Amino acid sequence: MATFCLRNESQFTVLHSFADGYPNASLVLGGDGGLYGTVGTDAGCSLFRITTNGAFSIVHSFARCEDGVWSADLLAARDGSLYGTAVERGTDSIYKIATNGVVTVLHSFSRNEHPHGLLLCSDGNLFGTLPMIGPMPPTNGGGVVYRIAADGAFTILHSFIPRGEGINPRHLVRTGDGRLYGATEFGPMFKISSDDSFRTLKVFFGPSSLMVGHNEKVYGTSRSTIFEIATNDFVSVLQSFNGETEAVGPGDLIQASDGTLYGTSYSCARDNAGSLFKITSDGTLTLLHKFTGGEDGRNPTGLLPARDGSLYGVTASGIDRKSGTLFRLRGGKFILVCALGEGAGMPDIEGDDGNLYGTGDAANRRTIFKITPMGRLTIVHTLSKDEWLQGRLARGSDGNLYGVTAGHSSGRIFRIGTRR
């Protein structure tokens, strides 16, 4: 299948260049319509705001902010506030940016505590984890799950005992009725109820993702299974992949409005090419496509939902073991859209123009590309040498896409015009 590759730099506009700054994460849309991000310099780290017309301003500066400490993208709350993490004077902190730009530090940790996996819920509560500290267990604790309430009150919900409870809690998700679930490394799943009571659940080998379904059940994947946690905490295996006729390594799941789960597996034991599957609420697995490693490619790497109900995905490589393929699932039917060729990868986001956008590689340079639903590939912009996209593209209040690039002590904020 041919690839139609064009170049169109007219969509790409630089809004701001950092002379000595290093952007750290994706841009996030704030409640005031501005886009927020973080940048590090020799003097420290700062939060910045940029409008869709390019007006740039520094919102807050942290003193002695260490290099590379922005461990995650900013999180946007329903009220327009933003939350993030920073290290100031060697101490990790979680902060809040109000809609008026005022920054408040909600909690500061000790010097040997480094928060991970910040989860922001609709009621304003923040949840996170602290990994195991010190030598291997049982001489030290196995990690912590904590909560920061909307008023800033900090509570340790549970400290893990390595023997029996696992270590390094992660993959936190929370249901609408307040149940918090997570997984531990080398140990069981766990639940923390709305009354803060703790219990361990079933052990899975290598749980890789959790999601809350439309029915308030929790679904997850491990190396060879897809499992379900019911509202009464009963854990059941919906499907065990046998590695022969099916596959291993299921990735993140996407749930359709009818409750059906869709996903991809990276490899299959017989031909090592992967599969695309769906699984109903009763555990019935249907292989929608088994990749051959030919024109359809091999090793699918995830799915992106489109507004028309389609699911898009890409394979890591194609028939030449180099460039991958783009495929589409619509109405349960697998459609091979195009061979990607150089310059394209997994799309990040769908633009208001109906095209898919993302980043790829061509001739050792990063590119920003778009692909039409019919499979026409356009290189929107080729980044300069030693420059890369920092994080993911974000949709602005005007419908265009925005992003940041980083290089060696430099960076740029850019806009991609996607309005119809």
Side-chain angles (χ1 to χ4, degrees):
M1 180 171 290
T3 301
F4 300 94
C5 185
L6 305 174
R7 294 188 178 271
N8 179 15
E9 300 278 339
S10 63
Q11 283 185 272
F12 185 90
T13 303
V14 175
L15 299 179
H16 182 80
S17 295
F18 296 94
D20 60 351
Y22 184 95
N24 306 100
S26 305
L27 296 176
V28 175
L29 180 63
D32 59 359
L35 291 151
Y36 289 80
T38 61
V39 60
T41 67
D42 292 339
C45 291
S46 300
L47 299 166
F48 65 81
R49 177 181 184 270
I50 190 165
T51 65
T52 55
N53 63 8
F56 178 89
S57 60
I58 295 296
V59 176
H60 183 79
S61 295
F62 290 91
R64 292 182 60 189
C65 187
E66 297 178 0
D67 185 36
V69 299
W70 305 96
S71 58
D73 294 335
L74 294 169
L75 302 177
R78 287 185 176 181
D79 64 357
S81 301
L82 300 173
Y83 296 83
T85 59
V87 176
E88 188 173 17
R89 296 184 175 90
T91 300
D92 290 71
S93 299
I94 296 177
Y95 61 88
K96 173 183 178 180
I97 311 171
T99 53
N100 61 0
V102 174
V103 176
T104 303
V105 174
L106 299 177
H107 185 78
S108 295
F109 297 88
S110 67
R111 285 182 176 268
N112 59 351
E113 292 178 332
H114 304 290
H116 291 281
L118 202 61
L119 173 67
L120 175 63
C121 299
S122 59
D123 58 4
N125 285 314
L126 285 163
F127 296 87
T129 63
L130 299 175
M132 180 186 70
I133 300 170
M136 287 296 290
T139 57
N140 289 78
V144 164
V145 175
Y146 63 87
R147 176 183 64 225
I148 301 178
D151 61 2
F154 179 84
T155 304
I156 292 179
L157 298 177
H158 189 73
S159 296
F160 286 77
I161 302 172
R163 288 183 176 175
E165 293 181 352
I167 61 173
N168 296 336
R170 53 186 178 175
H171 302 312
L172 296 180
V173 296
R174 190 168 182 247
T175 63
D177 59 3
R179 291 172 285 128
L180 185 72
Y181 293 89
T184 59
E185 187 178 3
F186 312 120
M189 307 282 295
F190 63 86
K191 172 197 173 182
I192 300 177
S193 302
S194 56
D195 62 0
D196 296 347
S197 59
F198 175 89
R199 67 174 297 188
T200 58
L201 303 174
K202 190 177 179 71
V203 176
F204 284 100
F205 176 72
S208 58
S209 67
L210 292 174
M211 61 165 289
V212 180
H214 305 323
N215 52 10
E216 290 297 304
K217 294 180 179 180
V218 174
Y219 298 93
T221 62
S222 68
R223 185 178 183 276
S224 59
T225 61
I226 298 175
F227 57 88
E228 172 192 274
I229 306 175
T231 54
N232 63 358
D233 295 337
F234 180 76
V235 181
S236 58
V237 175
L238 294 180
Q239 186 64 43
S240 293
F241 293 104
N242 61 28
E244 291 293 330
T245 58
E246 293 141 4
V248 295
D252 294 346
L253 301 172
I254 291 178
Q255 188 174 40
S257 58
D258 63 358
T260 302
L261 299 169
Y262 293 87
T264 60
S265 63
Y266 190 77
S267 65
C268 186
R270 285 187 176 176
D271 54 26
N272 198 32
S275 67
L276 170 67
F277 63 85
K278 73 174 182 179
I279 186 166
T280 59
S281 57
D282 63 0
T284 301
L285 176 76
T286 302
L287 287 176
L288 301 172
H289 186 75
K290 189 174 179 181
F291 291 87
T292 66
E295 286 192 353
D296 60 348
R298 61 178 60 246
N299 304 131
T301 57
L303 295 172
L304 174 71
R307 283 171 291 184
D308 65 357
S310 299
L311 296 175
Y312 286 90
V314 300
T315 61
S317 62
I319 193 170
D320 57 0
R321 296 263 181 178
K322 293 181 180 180
S323 57
T325 61
L326 175 74
F327 61 88
R328 183 180 190 182
L329 181 67
R330 187 171 186 180
K333 182 180 179 181
F334 174 87
I335 302 169
L336 182 59
V337 178
C338 66
L340 291 176
E342 273 198 320
M346 180 66 191
D348 290 329
I349 193 170
E350 181 184 16
D352 281 3
D353 54 7
N355 298 318
L356 305 177
Y357 290 82
T359 60
D361 292 283
N364 296 321
R365 295 224 182 155
R366 300 295 291 173
T367 63
I368 300 172
F369 68 86
K370 74 173 179 182
I371 302 177
T372 69
M374 298 303 294
R376 173 168 289 189
L377 171 66
T378 301
I379 302 301
V380 175
H381 184 72
T382 300
L383 275 61
S384 61
K385 187 178 180 181
D386 299 326
E387 183 185 25
W388 59 91
L389 186 72
Q390 191 71 291
R392 299 170 63 89
L393 298 173
R395 181 175 285 106
S397 57
D398 59 355
N400 291 316
L401 300 181
Y402 294 82
V404 292
T405 66
H408 296 297
S409 300
S410 63
R412 298 188 291 176
I413 305 173
F414 64 86
R415 176 178 63 221
I416 300 174
T418 63
R419 290 181 295 183
R420 290 184 182 276

